[in-house]
Amino acid sequence: MNIEAIIEKYKNNEMSVEEYTKTTLEKIKNDKTNAYLAFDEEDSIKRAKDLDNKLKSNEKLGALFGIPIAIKDNISYKNMNMTCASKMLKDFRPMFDANVVEDLLKEDAIIIAKTNMDEFAMGARGKTSYFGPVKNPLDESRVTGGSSSGSAASVAKGDVVVSLGTDTGGSVRCPASYCNIIGYKPSYSMVSRSGVVSMSNTLDQVAVFGNNISDVRTVSQTIQGPDKKDMTVRLDNYNFEEKHYEFKDKKIAYIPTSDPLNHGIDEEVEADYNKALNILKELGAKLEPVKLEYSKFANQVYNVVMSSEVSSNMSRFDGVRFGYQSDKHTTVEELFINSRSEGLGEEVQRRIALGTMYLSADDNQRVYKQGLKIRTLIKEELEKVFEEYDLIITPTVLNLPPQINDDYQDPLSDFKSDGFNVIVNLAGMCGLSLPVRKGLSGSIQLIANTNEDSKLLNAGEEFLRRINEN
């Protein structure tokens, strides 16, 4: 079922919000993938009963009336703990709702659960959580991808029809690909980040998982728009207009599999990518290969920019103001060191250390400043492509989901298959991961220019329509 069908069943008295909410809670309680970190049965059922009464009173219903939505555990909801999947915030309860949560509640949604994730959103596999890794619902021996691992699993399993994650360098699109669902990363500034724990301020964006574009569009319309608490968000409302996208005669840029950017691509992923290119040709699109000169440095630039911003953002977690506090200290300096050493995982500590090095005053922040210059070149390069082409198509990631028990000795391996995702965040553009076939398989990513999100979703809908016809 999709959002529209669920609401229609409520209106026709085929089921109550309370019944559907209880069914969803049972799925969450019986979860075997470790997708969830918190839920409040009493809170959710109370809200469901209130919504049933609202329907009986013939009041105006919100666009998400009675829809249970799972949210990543770095998004604040005052009725549930927010841990960011870290020992540092193991028992932390926020005092306010994130702006996106306020928006969802205004449209009569139910925040049904907080989902597991890579610790502080740092990871690409869903394995760095203090509470354990998330198993892929398609094959529980494999990873879900990260960092929005639990949110992806919740939709892939059918527990909820939509969920929220955050995307800093592919953290929604990568798990969407691994779990064979839709993952949409909006343009930078499209959605408020007030109440969302910052990882990398110039890259982060609240993003959406779903099984169909219609649901993704409905949620995106709900959470977009101005927020006086976020100085980076757009100042006007955006209209996610549903409109038929005609591929015929549209010029679409693609990256050939022979290009170095596709180096190391899995055979199956390559085959699915070529299948998607053929479908676009059948739809009448004019596909042309493009060479991206600076995007080959995307992973390195992302590592520098992200780690530098992580180093700054994580300084607040010191064991004094809030969060985990070590009892092994005799001085304030020992308190800081021990609290952070014991409260933060290896991947988080690694990125803090890298960022601190990149921001070092000893060499006048040379690496960081150089990273910012190349980031600008990547952005300008993509903007130039969009002067001639309507969309860009790439593989979402270059590999199928790895085994959970794979032993990765390379600490930078998380960054290696996400290059096409990273360029979207570096440029502030919008990206959409779409499945090509059922089961474990490769996915494609459609990329559109900044603030062309409506066109992007409409194009994705048309592509999926053709996939389903086949």
Side-chain angles (χ1 to χ4, degrees):
M1 286 195 296
N2 61 13
I3 290 173
E4 184 180 3
I6 293 169
I7 295 176
E8 200 60 33
K9 283 183 177 291
Y10 293 149
K11 291 179 178 177
N12 294 334
N13 292 317
E14 294 178 41
M15 66 180 178
S16 68
V17 180
E18 182 180 358
E19 289 169 345
Y20 188 64
T21 301
K22 286 181 176 178
T23 299
T24 304
L25 286 166
E26 283 303 308
K27 293 178 183 178
I28 291 170
K29 286 190 283 187
N30 292 318
D31 170 57
K32 299 292 191 297
T33 65
N34 200 30
Y36 304 100
L37 294 181
F39 63 91
D40 187 329
E41 188 167 9
E42 184 179 347
D43 173 61
S44 296
I45 292 176
K46 179 182 181 303
R47 180 159 176 78
K49 289 179 177 178
D50 290 341
L51 292 173
D52 278 328
N53 290 331
K54 184 174 184 177
L55 178 60
K56 290 174 184 175
S57 301
N58 293 317
E59 297 178 47
K60 183 180 178 181
L61 307 182
L64 296 168
F65 179 80
I67 303 298
I69 297 179
I71 63 174
K72 190 175 180 178
D73 200 29
N74 60 348
I75 301 173
S76 180
Y77 178 47
K78 62 187 178 185
N79 291 1
M80 296 180 195
N81 284 355
M82 179 174 66
T83 69
C84 293
S86 177
K87 181 179 180 180
M88 179 60 76
L89 293 177
K90 184 177 178 183
D91 300 310
F92 178 71
R93 176 64 65 99
M95 300 175 64
F96 59 90
D97 294 332
N99 188 77
V100 291
V101 169
E102 291 179 352
D103 289 341
L104 294 173
L105 294 176
K106 285 176 187 173
E107 291 298 330
D108 294 335
I110 296 172
I111 308 301
I112 198 74
K114 304 294 290 295
T115 57
N116 203 354
M117 56 185 280
D118 279 304
E119 184 181 11
F120 282 104
M122 299 181 207
R125 296 192 176 94
K127 291 180 64 175
T128 69
S129 169
Y130 174 69
F131 304 98
V134 180
K135 300 174 184 177
N136 192 317
L138 301 179
D139 179 349
E140 292 188 7
S141 70
R142 296 176 183 262
V143 301
T144 53
S147 62
S148 304
S149 47
S151 292
S154 70
V155 172
K157 291 168 61 199
D159 295 351
V160 293
V161 293
V162 285
S163 66
L164 293 189
T166 58
D167 192 311
T168 305
S171 289
V172 159
R173 288 159 291 156
C174 171
S177 178
Y178 284 175
C179 294
N180 208 41
I181 57 175
I182 297 167
Y184 161 56
K185 181 262 172 196
S187 296
Y188 187 79
S189 83
M190 182 66 68
V191 181
S192 168
R193 295 172 299 171
S194 171
V196 180
V197 177
S198 295
M199 174 187 164
S200 181
N201 304 62
T202 67
L203 300 169
D204 294 341
Q205 188 64 81
V206 176
V208 185
F209 291 103
N211 281 312
N212 61 77
I213 296 295
S214 176
D215 288 351
V216 171
R217 185 187 290 115
T218 299
V219 172
S220 301
Q221 188 66 63
T222 297
I223 63 176
Q224 62 76 38
D227 176 17
K228 62 183 179 182
K229 300 186 291 297
D230 183 354
M231 63 180 290
T232 66
V233 77
R234 60 185 297 123
L235 299 177
D236 58 343
N237 283 301
Y238 185 86
N239 181 22
F240 283 87
E241 181 184 12
E242 182 179 358
K243 187 177 180 181
H244 174 69
Y245 183 88
E246 180 59 68
F247 275 102
K248 185 174 174 57
D249 295 330
K250 291 286 195 315
K251 290 182 68 177
I252 296 178
Y254 77 98
I255 313 297
T257 53
S258 59
D259 191 284
L261 286 172
N262 275 311
H263 177 70
I265 189 170
D266 283 0
E267 260 184 51
E268 279 189 70
V269 175
E270 182 177 0
D272 289 328
Y273 180 50
N274 287 328
K275 176 182 178 181
L277 295 180
N278 288 331
I279 288 172
L280 293 180
K281 289 176 185 175
E282 291 171 6
L283 289 168
K286 295 181 177 179
L287 292 174
E288 295 183 10
V290 293
K291 182 77 174 175
L292 299 177
E293 181 181 353
Y294 296 106
S295 292
K296 62 186 176 184
F297 303 115
N299 280 325
Q300 294 93 324
V301 172
Y302 172 77
N303 180 287
V304 170
V305 174
M306 173 273 299
S307 299
S308 298
E309 295 181 8
V310 161
S311 175
S312 175
N313 283 324
M314 292 301 294
S315 64
R316 73 194 74 178
F317 301 102
D318 54 17
V320 175
R321 284 167 281 193
F322 55 87
Y324 174 81
Q325 184 177 98
S326 174
D327 55 8
K328 301 173 185 176
H329 60 87
T330 56
T331 66
V332 173
E333 183 179 7
E334 283 184 358
L335 171 62
F336 288 165
I337 292 172
N338 292 341
S339 295
R340 288 165 70 80
S341 297
E342 297 168 19
L344 299 174
E346 181 181 340
E347 183 62 29
V348 175
Q349 292 185 42
R350 179 183 295 116
R351 298 195 191 196
I352 292 172
L354 283 170
T356 302
M357 178 183 69
Y358 297 144
L359 293 174
S360 172
D362 291 345
D363 67 349
N364 194 31
Q365 301 181 348
R366 178 180 57 84
V367 175
Y368 176 62
K369 291 177 180 177
Q370 188 66 18
L372 293 181
K373 290 178 183 177
I374 302 176
R375 178 182 186 174
T376 299
L377 293 174
I378 292 171
K379 185 176 188 295
E380 290 175 347
E381 178 176 63
L382 291 172
E383 288 173 340
K384 190 171 183 181
V385 171
F386 284 120
E387 288 177 5
E388 187 174 352
Y389 298 94
D390 207 51
L391 297 167
I392 300 173
I393 181 173
T394 73
T396 305
V397 291
L398 300 181
N399 60 341
L400 297 177
Q403 297 290 317
I404 282 184
N405 294 326
D406 280 356
D407 183 18
Y408 297 99
Q409 299 298 328
D410 180 1
L412 298 181
S413 60
D414 268 3
F415 305 111
K416 288 186 175 177
S417 67
D418 263 346
F420 291 124
N421 292 329
V422 164
I423 59 174
V424 178
N425 297 77
L426 290 171
M429 295 172 177
C430 49
L432 181 67
S433 179
L434 299 167
V436 176
R437 58 184 172 88
K438 293 181 179 179
L440 285 172
S441 56
S443 294
I444 61 151
Q445 176 181 218
L446 295 181
I447 305 171
N449 206 348
T450 307
N451 295 325
E452 291 190 341
D453 299 57
S454 184
K455 178 179 77 175
L456 178 70
L457 293 184
N458 289 330
E461 192 164 41
E462 180 61 21
F463 175 82
L464 290 177
R465 187 178 292 119
R466 174 53 66 93
I467 288 286
N468 291 331
E469 286 175 358
N470 293 341

